[in-house]
Amino acid sequence: MGIRLPSLLLSAKQIVKMPTVSSRNQCAVPKGHIAVYVGDIERKRFVVPISYLNHPSFSALLKAAEEEFGFKHPTGGLTIPCREEVFINLTSSLQTS
């Protein structure tokens, strides 16, 4: 009685690579961008270019996120604890510069 391990392993690899239901529902993040969640109570998802991470104003938001959440973000993604309007104003100014 023989066991066909190569075909079983191939099937297992295909199953592991399949997107989960939750990842299919999320919008894909384009290359060179990062998804962040912004808001005090109700969090909204934004996708921003990674080049924003080097800007001093954005770094200040990241430092606030580090102080408030550490590495345990409630949404599982990077959560920035500020009002949505403040974040939009900041990213708008970064976009024009």
Side-chain angles (χ1 to χ4, degrees):
M1 176 178 190
I3 299 175
R4 297 184 331 186
L5 287 178
S7 64
L8 290 175
L9 291 175
L10 180 61
S11 298
K13 286 181 183 178
Q14 289 171 341
I15 291 170
V16 170
K17 288 183 182 179
M18 288 176 53
T20 61
V21 173
S22 62
S23 67
R24 278 186 244 146
N25 292 337
Q26 289 289 331
C27 297
V29 178
K31 188 174 184 176
H33 290 73
I34 185 171
V36 296
Y37 295 89
V38 177
D40 293 326
I41 298 169
E42 185 178 326
R43 293 186 170 87
K44 187 172 179 182
R45 185 175 188 254
F46 290 90
V47 177
V48 297
I50 59 170
S51 61
Y52 288 5
L53 299 176
N54 291 327
H55 195 277
S57 299
F58 203 87
S59 293
L61 290 178
L62 294 175
K63 189 152 218 54
E66 178 187 15
E67 290 171 2
E68 184 162 333
F69 301 113
F71 292 107
K72 295 184 180 186
H73 293 269
T75 57
L78 179 58
T79 305
I80 298 179
C82 74
R83 292 184 324 193
E84 187 178 329
E85 301 84 32
V86 172
F87 184 79
I88 290 171
N89 288 337
L90 172 68
T91 55
S92 295
S93 68
L94 293 177
Q95 199 171 31
T96 58
S97 60

Coordinates of all heavy atoms in Angstrom, one line a residue:
M1 N 0.8 -1.2 0.0 CA 0.0 0.0 0.0 C 0.9 1.2 0.0 O 1.7 1.4 0.9 CB -0.9 0.0 1.2 CG -1.7 1.2 1.4 SD -2.7 0.9 2.9 CE -3.8 2.1 2.8
G2 N 0.8 2.0 -1.0 CA 1.6 3.2 -1.1 C 0.8 4.5 -0.8 O -0.4 4.6 -0.9
I3 N 1.6 5.4 -0.3 CA 1.0 6.7 0.1 C 1.6 7.8 -0.8 O 2.8 7.8 -1.0 CB 1.3 7.1 1.6 CG1 0.7 6.1 2.5 CG2 0.8 8.5 1.9 CD1 1.1 6.3 3.9
R4 N 0.7 8.6 -1.4 CA 1.1 9.6 -2.4 C 1.3 10.9 -1.6 O 0.5 11.8 -1.6 CB 0.1 9.7 -3.5 CG 0.0 8.5 -4.3 CD -0.9 8.6 -5.5 NE -2.0 9.6 -5.3 CZ -3.0 9.8 -6.1 NH1 -3.0 9.1 -7.2 NH2 -3.9 10.7 -5.9
L5 N 2.5 11.1 -1.0 CA 2.7 12.3 -0.2 C 2.9 13.5 -1.1 O 2.4 14.6 -0.7 CB 4.0 12.1 0.7 CG 3.8 11.2 1.9 CD1 5.1 11.0 2.6 CD2 2.7 11.8 2.8
P6 N 3.6 13.4 -2.2 CA 3.7 14.6 -3.0 C 2.4 15.3 -3.4 O 2.3 16.5 -3.3 CB 4.5 14.2 -4.2 CG 5.3 13.0 -3.8 CD 4.3 12.3 -2.8
S7 N 1.4 14.5 -3.7 CA 0.1 15.1 -4.1 C -0.6 15.7 -2.8 O -1.3 16.7 -2.9 CB -0.8 14.1 -4.8 OG -1.1 13.0 -3.9
L8 N -0.4 15.0 -1.7 CA -1.0 15.6 -0.5 C -0.4 16.9 -0.1 O -1.0 17.8 0.4 CB -0.9 14.5 0.7 CG -1.7 13.3 0.6 CD1 -1.4 12.3 1.7 CD2 -3.2 13.7 0.6
L9 N 1.0 16.9 -0.2 CA 1.7 18.2 0.1 C 1.3 19.3 -0.8 O 1.1 20.4 -0.4 CB 3.2 17.9 0.1 CG 3.8 17.0 1.2 CD1 5.2 16.8 1.0 CD2 3.5 17.7 2.6
L10 N 1.1 19.0 -2.1 CA 0.8 20.0 -3.0 C -0.6 20.6 -2.7 O -0.8 21.8 -2.7 CB 0.8 19.4 -4.4 CG 0.4 20.4 -5.6 CD1 1.3 21.6 -5.6 CD2 0.3 19.7 -6.9
S11 N -1.6 19.7 -2.3 CA -2.9 20.1 -1.9 C -2.8 21.0 -0.7 O -3.5 22.0 -0.6 CB -3.8 18.9 -1.7 OG -4.0 18.2 -2.9
A12 N -2.0 20.6 0.3 CA -1.9 21.4 1.5 C -1.3 22.8 1.2 O -1.8 23.8 1.8 CB -1.0 20.7 2.5
K13 N -0.3 22.9 0.3 CA 0.3 24.2 0.0 C -0.8 25.0 -0.7 O -0.8 26.2 -0.5 CB 1.5 24.0 -0.9 CG 2.7 23.4 -0.2 CD 3.8 23.3 -1.1 CE 5.1 22.7 -0.5 NZ 6.2 22.5 -1.4
Q14 N -1.6 24.4 -1.6 CA -2.6 25.2 -2.3 C -3.6 25.8 -1.3 O -4.1 26.9 -1.4 CB -3.3 24.4 -3.3 CG -2.4 24.1 -4.5 CD -3.0 23.1 -5.5 OE1 -3.9 22.4 -5.1 NE2 -2.5 23.1 -6.7
I15 N -4.0 25.0 -0.3 CA -5.0 25.4 0.7 C -4.4 26.6 1.5 O -5.1 27.5 1.8 CB -5.4 24.2 1.6 CG1 -6.2 23.2 0.8 CG2 -6.2 24.7 2.8 CD1 -6.5 21.9 1.5
V16 N -3.1 26.5 1.9 CA -2.5 27.5 2.7 C -2.5 28.8 2.0 O -2.7 29.9 2.5 CB -1.1 27.1 3.2 CG1 -0.3 28.2 3.8 CG2 -1.2 25.9 4.2
K17 N -2.2 28.8 0.6 CA -2.1 30.0 -0.2 C -3.4 30.6 -0.5 O -3.5 31.7 -0.9 CB -1.4 29.7 -1.5 CG 0.1 29.4 -1.3 CD 0.8 29.2 -2.6 CE 2.3 28.9 -2.4 NZ 2.9 28.6 -3.7
M18 N -4.6 29.9 -0.3 CA -5.9 30.4 -0.6 C -6.2 31.6 0.3 O -5.9 31.6 1.5 CB -7.0 29.4 -0.4 CG -6.9 28.3 -1.5 SD -8.2 27.0 -1.2 CE -9.6 27.9 -1.0
P19 N -6.7 32.7 -0.2 CA -7.1 33.8 0.6 C -8.2 33.5 1.5 O -9.1 32.7 1.1 CB -7.5 34.9 -0.4 CG -7.8 34.2 -1.6 CD -7.0 32.9 -1.6
T20 N -8.2 34.0 2.7 CA -9.3 33.7 3.7 C -10.5 34.6 3.3 O -10.3 35.6 2.6 CB -8.8 34.0 5.1 OG1 -8.5 35.4 5.2 CG2 -7.7 33.1 5.5
V21 N -11.6 34.3 3.9 CA -12.8 35.1 3.7 C -12.6 36.5 4.1 O -12.9 37.5 3.4 CB -14.0 34.5 4.4 CG1 -15.2 35.4 4.3 CG2 -14.3 33.1 3.9
S22 N -11.9 36.8 5.2 CA -11.7 38.1 5.7 C -10.8 38.9 4.8 O -10.9 40.1 4.5 CB -11.2 38.2 7.1 OG -10.0 37.5 7.2
S23 N -9.7 38.2 4.2 CA -8.8 39.0 3.4 C -9.4 39.2 2.0 O -9.1 40.2 1.4 CB -7.5 38.2 3.2 OG -7.7 37.0 2.5
R24 N -10.4 38.4 1.6 CA -11.1 38.7 0.3 C -12.0 39.9 0.4 O -12.1 40.6 -0.5 CB -11.9 37.5 -0.1 CG -11.1 36.4 -0.8 CD -12.0 35.3 -1.3 NE -11.7 34.1 -0.6 CZ -12.5 33.2 -0.3 NH1 -13.8 33.3 -0.6 NH2 -12.1 32.1 0.4
N25 N -12.5 40.1 1.6 CA -13.4 41.3 1.8 C -12.6 42.6 1.9 O -13.2 43.7 1.7 CB -14.3 41.1 3.1 CG -15.3 39.9 2.9 OD1 -15.6 39.6 1.7 ND2 -15.7 39.4 3.9
Q26 N -11.4 42.5 2.3 CA -10.6 43.8 2.5 C -10.1 44.2 1.1 O -9.8 43.4 0.2 CB -9.4 43.5 3.4 CG -9.7 43.3 4.8 CD -10.2 44.6 5.5 OE1 -9.8 45.7 5.1 NE2 -11.0 44.5 6.4
C27 N -10.1 45.5 0.9 CA -9.5 46.0 -0.4 C -8.0 45.8 -0.4 O -7.4 45.9 0.7 CB -9.8 47.5 -0.5 SG -11.6 47.9 -0.6
A28 N -7.5 45.5 -1.5 CA -6.0 45.2 -1.6 C -5.3 46.6 -1.4 O -5.8 47.6 -1.8 CB -5.7 44.6 -2.9
V29 N -4.2 46.5 -0.8 CA -3.3 47.6 -0.6 C -2.3 47.6 -1.7 O -1.5 46.7 -1.9 CB -2.6 47.6 0.8 CG1 -1.7 48.8 1.0 CG2 -3.7 47.6 1.9
P30 N -2.2 48.7 -2.5 CA -1.3 48.7 -3.6 C 0.2 48.7 -3.1 O 0.5 49.1 -2.0 CB -1.6 50.1 -4.3 CG -2.8 50.6 -3.7 CD -3.1 49.9 -2.4
K31 N 1.0 48.2 -4.0 CA 2.5 48.2 -3.6 C 2.9 49.6 -3.3 O 2.6 50.6 -4.0 CB 3.3 47.6 -4.8 CG 4.7 47.4 -4.5 CD 5.4 46.6 -5.6 CE 6.8 46.3 -5.2 NZ 7.4 45.5 -6.3
G32 N 3.7 49.8 -2.3 CA 4.2 51.1 -1.9 C 3.3 51.9 -1.0 O 3.5 53.1 -0.8
H33 N 2.3 51.3 -0.5 CA 1.3 51.9 0.3 C 1.1 51.1 1.6 O 1.5 49.9 1.7 CB -0.1 52.1 -0.4 CG 0.0 53.1 -1.5 ND1 0.6 52.8 -2.7 CD2 -0.5 54.3 -1.6 CE1 0.5 53.9 -3.5 NE2 -0.2 54.8 -2.8
I34 N 0.5 51.7 2.6 CA 0.1 51.0 3.8 C -1.3 51.4 4.3 O -1.7 52.5 4.1 CB 1.2 51.4 4.9 CG1 0.9 50.6 6.2 CG2 1.2 52.9 5.2 CD1 2.0 50.7 7.2
A35 N -2.0 50.5 4.8 CA -3.3 50.7 5.4 C -3.2 51.1 6.8 O -2.5 50.5 7.6 CB -4.2 49.5 5.2
V36 N -3.9 52.2 7.2 CA -4.0 52.6 8.6 C -5.4 52.9 9.0 O -6.3 53.1 8.1 CB -3.1 53.9 8.8 CG1 -1.7 53.7 8.6 CG2 -3.6 55.1 8.0
Y37 N -5.7 52.7 10.2 CA -7.0 53.0 10.8 C -7.0 54.2 11.6 O -6.1 54.4 12.4 CB -7.5 51.8 11.6 CG -7.7 50.5 10.8 CD1 -6.6 49.7 10.6 CD2 -8.9 50.3 10.2 CE1 -6.7 48.5 9.8 CE2 -9.0 49.1 9.4 CZ -8.0 48.3 9.2 OH -8.1 47.2 8.4
V38 N -7.9 55.2 11.3 CA -7.8 56.5 12.0 C -9.2 56.7 12.6 O -10.2 56.4 12.1 CB -7.6 57.6 10.9 CG1 -7.6 58.9 11.5 CG2 -6.2 57.3 10.2
G39 N -9.1 57.3 13.8 CA -10.3 57.7 14.5 C -10.2 57.4 16.0 O -9.5 56.6 16.4
D40 N -11.0 58.2 16.8 CA -11.0 58.0 18.2 C -11.9 56.9 18.6 O -11.5 55.9 19.3 CB -11.4 59.3 18.9 CG -10.4 60.4 18.8 OD1 -9.2 60.0 18.7 OD2 -10.8 61.5 18.7
I41 N -13.2 56.9 18.1 CA -14.2 55.9 18.5 C -14.4 55.0 17.3 O -14.2 53.8 17.4 CB -15.5 56.5 19.0 CG1 -15.2 57.4 20.2 CG2 -16.5 55.5 19.3 CD1 -16.3 58.2 20.7
E42 N -14.9 55.5 16.2 CA -15.2 54.8 15.0 C -14.0 54.9 14.1 O -13.7 56.0 13.7 CB -16.5 55.2 14.3 CG -16.9 54.4 13.2 CD -18.2 54.9 12.5 OE1 -19.0 55.4 13.3 OE2 -18.3 54.8 11.3
R43 N -13.3 53.8 13.8 CA -12.1 53.9 13.0 C -12.4 53.7 11.5 O -13.2 52.8 11.2 CB -11.1 52.9 13.5 CG -10.7 53.3 14.9 CD -9.6 52.4 15.4 NE -9.0 52.9 16.6 CZ -9.5 52.7 17.9 NH1 -10.6 51.9 18.0 NH2 -9.0 53.2 18.9
K44 N -11.8 54.5 10.7 CA -11.9 54.4 9.3 C -10.6 54.0 8.7 O -9.5 54.5 9.1 CB -12.4 55.8 8.7 CG -12.7 55.7 7.3 CD -13.4 57.0 6.8 CE -13.7 57.0 5.3 NZ -14.2 58.2 4.9
R45 N -10.6 53.2 7.6 CA -9.4 52.7 7.0 C -9.0 53.6 5.9 O -9.8 54.0 5.0 CB -9.7 51.3 6.4 CG -8.5 50.6 5.9 CD -8.9 49.2 5.5 NE -7.8 48.4 5.1 CZ -7.6 48.1 3.8 NH1 -8.3 48.5 2.8 NH2 -6.5 47.3 3.5
F46 N -7.7 54.0 5.9 CA -7.1 54.8 4.9 C -5.9 54.1 4.3 O -5.2 53.4 5.0 CB -6.6 56.2 5.4 CG -7.7 57.1 5.8 CD1 -8.3 57.1 7.1 CD2 -8.3 58.0 4.9 CE1 -9.3 57.9 7.4 CE2 -9.3 58.9 5.2 CZ -9.8 58.8 6.5
V47 N -5.6 54.3 3.0 CA -4.4 53.7 2.4 C -3.5 54.9 2.0 O -4.0 55.8 1.2 CB -4.8 52.9 1.2 CG1 -3.5 52.4 0.5 CG2 -5.7 51.7 1.6
V48 N -2.3 55.0 2.6 CA -1.4 56.1 2.3 C -0.1 55.6 1.8 O 0.3 54.4 2.0 CB -1.2 56.9 3.6 CG1 -2.4 57.5 4.1 CG2 -0.6 56.1 4.7
P49 N 0.6 56.4 1.0 CA 1.9 56.0 0.5 C 2.9 55.8 1.7 O 2.9 56.5 2.6 CB 2.4 57.2 -0.4 CG 1.2 58.0 -0.6 CD 0.2 57.7 0.5
I50 N 3.8 54.9 1.5 CA 4.8 54.6 2.6 C 5.8 55.8 2.7 O 6.4 56.0 3.8 CB 5.6 53.3 2.4 CG1 6.3 53.2 1.1 CG2 4.6 52.1 2.6 CD1 7.2 52.0 1.0
S51 N 5.9 56.6 1.7 CA 6.8 57.8 1.8 C 6.3 58.8 2.9 O 7.1 59.5 3.4 CB 6.8 58.6 0.5 OG 5.5 59.0 0.1
Y52 N 5.0 58.7 3.3 CA 4.5 59.5 4.4 C 5.2 59.2 5.7 O 5.3 60.0 6.6 CB 3.0 59.4 4.5 CG 2.2 60.1 3.5 CD1 2.8 60.7 2.3 CD2 0.8 60.1 3.6 CE1 2.0 61.3 1.4 CE2 0.0 60.7 2.6 CZ 0.6 61.3 1.5 OH -0.1 61.9 0.5
L53 N 5.6 57.9 5.9 CA 6.2 57.5 7.1 C 7.5 58.3 7.5 O 7.8 58.4 8.7 CB 6.5 56.0 7.1 CG 5.3 55.1 6.8 CD1 5.8 53.6 6.7 CD2 4.3 55.2 7.9
N54 N 8.1 58.8 6.6 CA 9.4 59.6 6.8 C 9.1 61.0 7.2 O 10.0 61.7 7.6 CB 10.3 59.5 5.7 CG 10.9 58.1 5.5 OD1 11.1 57.4 6.4 ND2 11.1 57.7 4.2
H55 N 7.9 61.5 6.9 CA 7.6 62.9 7.2 C 7.5 63.2 8.7 O 6.8 62.4 9.4 CB 6.3 63.3 6.5 CG 6.1 64.8 6.4 ND1 5.6 65.6 7.4 CD2 6.5 65.7 5.4 CE1 5.6 66.8 7.0 NE2 6.1 66.9 5.8
P56 N 8.1 64.3 9.2 CA 8.0 64.6 10.6 C 6.6 64.6 11.2 O 6.4 64.1 12.3 CB 8.7 65.9 10.8 CG 9.6 66.0 9.6 CD 8.9 65.3 8.5
S57 N 5.7 65.2 10.5 CA 4.3 65.3 11.0 C 3.6 63.9 11.2 O 2.9 63.7 12.1 CB 3.4 66.2 10.1 OG 3.9 67.5 10.1
F58 N 3.9 63.1 10.2 CA 3.3 61.8 10.2 C 4.0 60.9 11.3 O 3.4 60.1 12.0 CB 3.4 61.1 8.8 CG 2.4 60.0 8.6 CD1 1.2 60.2 8.1 CD2 2.8 58.7 8.9 CE1 0.3 59.2 7.9 CE2 1.9 57.7 8.7 CZ 0.6 57.9 8.2
S59 N 5.3 61.2 11.4 CA 6.1 60.5 12.5 C 5.5 60.8 13.9 O 5.5 59.9 14.8 CB 7.5 60.8 12.4 OG 8.1 60.3 11.3
A60 N 5.0 62.0 14.1 CA 4.4 62.4 15.3 C 3.2 61.6 15.6 O 2.9 61.2 16.7 CB 4.1 63.9 15.4
L61 N 2.4 61.4 14.5 CA 1.2 60.5 14.7 C 1.6 59.1 15.0 O 0.9 58.4 15.9 CB 0.3 60.6 13.4 CG -0.4 61.8 13.1 CD1 -1.1 61.7 11.8 CD2 -1.4 62.2 14.2
L62 N 2.6 58.6 14.4 CA 3.1 57.2 14.7 C 3.5 57.1 16.1 O 3.3 56.1 16.8 CB 4.1 56.8 13.7 CG 3.7 56.7 12.3 CD1 4.9 56.4 11.4 CD2 2.6 55.6 12.1
K63 N 4.2 58.1 16.6 CA 4.7 58.1 18.0 C 3.5 58.1 19.0 O 3.5 57.4 20.0 CB 5.6 59.3 18.3 CG 6.3 59.3 19.6 CD 7.6 60.0 19.5 CE 8.7 59.5 20.2 NZ 9.3 58.3 20.0
A64 N 2.4 58.9 18.7 CA 1.2 58.9 19.5 C 0.6 57.5 19.5 O 0.1 57.0 20.5 CB 0.3 59.9 19.0
A65 N 0.6 56.8 18.3 CA 0.0 55.5 18.2 C 0.9 54.5 19.1 O 0.3 53.7 19.7 CB 0.0 55.0 16.8
E66 N 2.2 54.7 19.0 CA 3.0 53.8 19.8 C 2.8 54.0 21.3 O 2.7 53.0 22.1 CB 4.5 54.1 19.5 CG 5.5 53.3 20.3 CD 6.9 53.8 20.1 OE1 7.1 54.8 19.6 OE2 7.8 53.0 20.5
E67 N 2.6 55.2 21.7 CA 2.4 55.5 23.2 C 1.0 55.0 23.6 O 0.9 54.5 24.7 CB 2.5 57.0 23.4 CG 3.9 57.6 23.3 CD 4.0 59.1 23.4 OE1 2.9 59.7 23.5 OE2 5.1 59.6 23.2
E68 N 0.0 55.1 22.8 CA -1.3 54.7 23.2 C -1.5 53.2 23.1 O -2.1 52.5 23.9 CB -2.4 55.4 22.3 CG -3.8 55.0 22.8 CD -4.8 56.0 22.3 OE1 -4.5 57.2 22.1 OE2 -6.0 55.6 22.2
F69 N -1.0 52.6 22.0 CA -1.3 51.1 21.7 C -0.1 50.2 21.9 O -0.3 49.0 22.0 CB -1.9 51.0 20.3 CG -3.2 51.7 20.1 CD1 -3.2 52.8 19.2 CD2 -4.3 51.4 20.8 CE1 -4.4 53.5 18.9 CE2 -5.5 52.1 20.5 CZ -5.5 53.1 19.6
G70 N 1.1 50.7 21.8 CA 2.2 49.9 21.8 C 2.2 49.0 20.5 O 2.0 49.6 19.4
F71 N 2.3 47.7 20.6 CA 2.3 46.9 19.5 C 1.0 46.1 19.4 O 0.8 45.2 18.5 CB 3.5 45.9 19.5 CG 4.8 46.6 19.2 CD1 5.7 46.7 20.3 CD2 5.1 47.1 18.0 CE1 6.9 47.4 20.1 CE2 6.3 47.7 17.8 CZ 7.2 47.9 18.8
K72 N 0.0 46.4 20.3 CA -1.3 45.7 20.3 C -2.3 46.7 19.8 O -3.0 47.4 20.6 CB -1.6 45.2 21.7 CG -0.6 44.1 22.1 CD -1.1 43.6 23.5 CE -0.1 42.5 23.9 NZ -0.5 41.8 25.1
H73 N -2.5 46.7 18.5 CA -3.5 47.6 17.9 C -4.9 46.8 17.9 O -5.0 45.7 17.5 CB -3.1 48.0 16.5 CG -1.9 48.9 16.5 ND1 -2.0 50.2 16.6 CD2 -0.6 48.6 16.5 CE1 -0.8 50.8 16.6 NE2 0.1 49.8 16.6
P74 N -6.0 47.5 18.3 CA -7.3 46.8 18.4 C -7.8 46.3 17.1 O -8.5 45.3 17.1 CB -8.2 47.9 19.0 CG -7.5 49.2 18.8 CD -6.0 48.9 18.7
T75 N -7.5 46.9 16.0 CA -8.0 46.5 14.7 C -7.1 45.4 14.0 O -7.5 44.9 13.0 CB -8.2 47.6 13.7 OG1 -7.0 48.3 13.6 CG2 -9.3 48.6 14.2
G76 N -6.0 45.2 14.6 CA -5.0 44.3 14.0 C -4.1 45.0 13.0 O -3.0 44.5 12.7
G77 N -4.5 46.2 12.6 CA -3.6 47.0 11.7 C -3.1 48.2 12.5 O -3.4 48.4 13.6
L78 N -2.3 49.0 11.8 CA -1.8 50.2 12.4 C -2.9 51.2 12.7 O -3.6 51.6 11.7 CB -0.8 50.8 11.5 CG -0.1 52.1 11.9 CD1 0.6 51.9 13.3 CD2 0.9 52.6 10.9
T79 N -3.1 51.5 13.9 CA -4.2 52.4 14.3 C -3.6 53.7 14.8 O -2.7 53.7 15.6 CB -5.0 51.8 15.5 OG1 -5.5 50.5 15.1 CG2 -6.2 52.7 15.8
I80 N -4.1 54.8 14.2 CA -3.6 56.2 14.6 C -4.7 56.9 15.4 O -5.8 57.1 14.9 CB -3.2 57.0 13.3 CG1 -2.1 56.2 12.6 CG2 -2.8 58.4 13.7 CD1 -1.6 56.9 11.4
P81 N -4.4 57.2 16.6 CA -5.4 57.8 17.5 C -5.5 59.3 17.3 O -5.0 60.1 18.1 CB -4.9 57.5 18.9 CG -3.4 57.5 18.8 CD -3.1 57.0 17.4
C82 N -6.2 59.7 16.3 CA -6.5 61.1 16.1 C -7.8 61.3 15.3 O -8.3 60.3 14.8 CB -5.4 61.8 15.3 SG -5.3 61.5 13.6
R83 N -8.4 62.4 15.3 CA -9.6 62.6 14.6 C -9.4 62.5 13.1 O -8.3 62.8 12.6 CB -10.2 64.0 14.9 CG -10.7 64.1 16.4 CD -11.3 65.5 16.6 NE -10.6 66.4 15.8 CZ -10.6 67.7 15.9 NH1 -11.4 68.3 16.7 NH2 -9.9 68.5 15.1
E84 N -10.4 62.0 12.4 CA -10.4 61.8 11.0 C -10.0 63.1 10.2 O -9.2 63.1 9.3 CB -11.7 61.2 10.5 CG -11.7 60.8 9.1 CD -13.0 60.2 8.7 OE1 -13.7 59.6 9.6 OE2 -13.4 60.3 7.5
E85 N -10.6 64.2 10.7 CA -10.4 65.5 10.0 C -8.9 65.9 10.1 O -8.4 66.5 9.1 CB -11.3 66.6 10.6 CG -12.8 66.4 10.6 CD -13.2 65.5 11.7 OE1 -12.7 65.5 12.8 OE2 -14.2 64.7 11.5
V86 N -8.3 65.7 11.2 CA -6.9 66.1 11.4 C -6.1 65.2 10.5 O -5.1 65.8 9.8 CB -6.5 65.8 12.9 CG1 -5.0 66.0 13.1 CG2 -7.3 66.8 13.8
F87 N -6.3 63.9 10.4 CA -5.6 63.0 9.5 C -5.7 63.5 8.1 O -4.7 63.5 7.3 CB -6.0 61.6 9.7 CG -5.2 60.6 8.9 CD1 -4.0 60.2 9.4 CD2 -5.7 60.1 7.8 CE1 -3.2 59.3 8.6 CE2 -5.0 59.2 7.0 CZ -3.7 58.8 7.5
I88 N -6.9 63.8 7.7 CA -7.2 64.2 6.3 C -6.4 65.5 6.0 O -5.8 65.6 4.9 CB -8.7 64.3 6.0 CG1 -9.3 62.9 6.0 CG2 -9.0 65.0 4.7 CD1 -10.8 62.9 6.0
N89 N -6.5 66.4 6.9 CA -5.7 67.7 6.7 C -4.2 67.4 6.5 O -3.6 68.0 5.7 CB -6.0 68.7 7.8 CG -7.4 69.3 7.7 OD1 -8.0 69.3 6.7 ND2 -7.9 69.7 8.9
L90 N -3.7 66.6 7.4 CA -2.3 66.3 7.4 C -1.9 65.6 6.0 O -0.9 66.0 5.4 CB -1.9 65.4 8.5 CG -0.4 64.9 8.5 CD1 0.5 66.0 8.7 CD2 -0.2 63.8 9.5
T91 N -2.6 64.6 5.7 CA -2.3 63.9 4.4 C -2.5 64.7 3.2 O -1.8 64.6 2.2 CB -3.1 62.6 4.3 OG1 -4.5 62.8 4.4 CG2 -2.7 61.6 5.3
S92 N -3.5 65.6 3.2 CA -3.7 66.6 2.1 C -2.5 67.5 2.0 O -2.0 67.8 0.9 CB -4.9 67.4 2.3 OG -6.1 66.6 2.3
S93 N -1.9 68.0 3.1 CA -0.8 68.8 3.0 C 0.5 68.1 2.6 O 1.3 68.6 1.9 CB -0.5 69.5 4.4 OG -0.1 68.6 5.4
L94 N 0.6 66.8 2.9 CA 1.7 66.0 2.5 C 1.6 65.7 1.0 O 2.6 65.6 0.3 CB 1.8 64.7 3.3 CG 2.1 64.8 4.8 CD1 2.0 63.4 5.4 CD2 3.4 65.4 5.0
Q95 N 0.4 65.6 0.5 CA 0.2 65.3 -0.9 C 0.6 66.4 -1.8 O 1.1 66.2 -2.9 CB -1.3 64.9 -1.1 CG -1.6 64.2 -2.3 CD -3.0 63.7 -2.3 OE1 -3.9 64.4 -1.8 NE2 -3.3 62.6 -2.9
T96 N 0.4 67.6 -1.3 CA 0.7 68.8 -2.1 C 2.2 69.2 -2.0 O 2.7 69.9 -2.9 CB -0.1 70.0 -1.7 OG1 0.1 70.3 -0.3 CG2 -1.6 69.8 -1.9
S97 N 2.9 68.7 -1.0 CA 4.3 69.1 -0.9 C 5.2 68.1 -1.5 O 4.9 67.1 -2.1 CB 4.7 69.2 0.6 OG 4.5 68.0 1.3

